[in-house]
Amino acid sequence: MARLSNSPQPSLIDKRGSASTPPLIHKRGQGGVVVMVFGVFDGLHPGHQYFLSQAGEYGNLIVVVARDANAQQLKHKTPTYNQEKRIAAIREFLPDATVILGDKRQGTYEVVKTYRPAMILLGHDQEKLYEDLQANIDSGNVNFIEFKTLRELP
């Protein structure tokens, strides 16, 4: 289930990036790799908290929060909380994580291309995301990635 790249990763996270200039994200020493997760995170429930806490153990965490329009498309319903409130809840729960909005157009993976994580961590229910990312790797749209599916809340 994993794909790796020889693409170099640069050595710190600079969270001072703006919307037009993302933070510099680099691979640090052992245990400091940049990892990325995706989700809607509508109502930060214990399952989300467990998933995000697990993900944070893998390295410098980037949480990609689905935009409202994409969340509606993914879940077939309007999120209870708007994207700003969902981002604020994650930032409050994980103040050291980098929390960003997902791509304007779902499936383009611009955030992956921009931030170049060493690994994408998937939730137990994100099979479609895995399949879509793998198809984008196979087509050359996304150059590198390693995947790992995290287990459910015990």
Side-chain angles (χ1 to χ4, degrees), residues 4-137:
L4 294 172
S5 164
N6 295 329
S7 299
Q9 291 274 337
S11 86
L12 320 158
I13 291 185
D14 178 350
K15 294 185 181 181
R16 295 172 290 179
S18 68
S20 60
T21 307
L24 300 174
I25 298 187
H26 304 294
K27 181 177 179 179
R28 292 193 203 166
Q30 193 170 355
V33 297
V34 174
V35 297
M36 182 176 277
V37 297
F38 293 84
V40 175
F41 304 108
D42 193 22
L44 199 57
H45 58 68
H48 290 143
Q49 292 172 357
Y50 182 75
F51 172 69
L52 292 169
S53 295
Q54 271 193 306
E57 293 178 15
Y58 282 82
N60 299 312
L61 181 59
I62 301 172
V63 181
V64 181
V65 177
R67 292 175 181 269
D68 290 340
N70 292 339
Q72 178 150 0
Q73 183 182 359
L74 287 166
K75 301 288 186 176
H76 307 290
K77 65 178 184 174
T78 303
T80 303
Y81 301 98
N82 68 32
Q83 61 199 31
E84 290 82 13
K85 288 182 180 177
R86 291 183 280 125
I87 287 172
I90 295 168
R91 285 184 175 150
E92 182 178 334
F93 179 68
L94 288 175
D96 291 335
T98 300
V99 185
I100 61 172
L101 268 177
D103 296 322
K104 288 182 181 177
R105 202 178 81 190
Q106 187 175 319
T108 60
Y109 299 106
E110 293 304 318
V111 294
V112 174
K113 295 174 199 173
T114 299
Y115 289 88
R116 300 183 334 175
M119 182 184 297
I120 292 180
L121 301 170
L122 300 169
H124 66 93
D125 60 348
Q126 292 185 310
E127 298 87 11
K128 287 183 182 178
L129 174 60
Y130 168 76
E131 291 169 4
D132 193 53
L133 274 163
Q134 190 63 63
N136 274 268
I137 290 168

